[in-house]
């Protein structure tokens, strides 16, 4: 199970959600279920509006959090995924800091999820 803390200047305070087995969908689905206002439009990894920054907490590892093909393209086009970060993700299984909430699957890691509230802006 995982603690997912959402933080944004558009929220009065940070919100920590304890994600249980039934919550193991996307980060965007978990946010919506808990009324966290992460912007979203396509929900398919193509618009980039659900851009978030994911930071592991408490020594958690984010290994195994593979990027989807849509995520690779959209993050690259928006300048959030350099060739170096992509290579680290694909070769060393070190995920990049910026992700798309609709493409990121909640796992057993404790994470901080930061977003601006502006579509596509971290
Ligand atoms: Fe469009 Fe996530 S909602 S990329």
């Amino acid at each position: 199970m995982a603690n997912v803390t959402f933080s944004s200047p558009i929220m009065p305070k940070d919100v920590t959600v304890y994600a249980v087995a039934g919550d193991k969908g996307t980060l965007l689905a978990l946010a919506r279920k808990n009324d966290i206002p992460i912007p979203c439009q396509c929900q398919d990894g193509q618009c980039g509006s659900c851009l978030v920054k994911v930071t592991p907490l408490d020594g958690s590892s984010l290994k195994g959090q593979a990027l989807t093909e849509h995520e690779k393209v959209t993050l690259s086009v928006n300048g959030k995924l350099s060739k170096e970060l992509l290579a680290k993700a694909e070769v060393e299984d070190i995920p990049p800091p910026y992700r798309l909430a609709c493409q990121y699957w909640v796992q057993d890691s404790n994470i901080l999820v930061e977003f601006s509230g502006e579509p596509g802006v971290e």
Side-chain angles (χ1 to χ4, degrees):
M1 303 312 109
N3 285 321
V4 179
T5 299
F6 294 95
S7 180
S8 172
I10 65 168
M11 296 178 2
K13 62 178 183 174
D14 292 356
V15 174
T16 298
V17 173
Y18 184 65
V20 295
D23 292 325
K24 295 300 175 68
T26 66
L27 197 49
L28 183 61
L30 182 66
R32 293 183 126 196
K33 181 179 176 184
N34 291 280
D35 296 324
I36 306 297
I38 295 178
C40 67
Q41 292 171 8
C42 72
Q43 299 185 44
D44 191 33
Q46 298 188 49
C47 72
S49 64
C50 65
L51 180 70
V52 295
K53 183 178 182 185
V54 177
T55 305
L57 299 175
D58 308 326
S60 288
S61 168
L62 296 184
K63 290 195 174 219
Q65 295 279 0
L67 293 151
T68 66
E69 292 305 314
H70 282 168
E71 201 174 17
K72 290 176 190 174
V73 171
T74 302
L75 289 173
S76 295
V77 167
N78 291 316
K80 298 300 181 191
L81 183 65
S82 66
K83 287 181 179 174
E84 292 77 21
L85 286 176
L86 178 59
K88 275 190 168 187
E90 292 184 328
V91 177
E92 300 174 44
D93 193 18
I94 299 173
Y98 293 105
R99 303 298 298 260
L100 298 176
C102 70
Q103 301 293 293
Y104 186 99
W105 287 82
V106 177
Q107 300 202 356
D108 287 336
S109 304
N110 296 328
I111 55 175
L112 171 65
V113 178
E114 298 171 279
F115 64 100
S116 70
E118 294 283 325
V121 178
E122 83 275 2

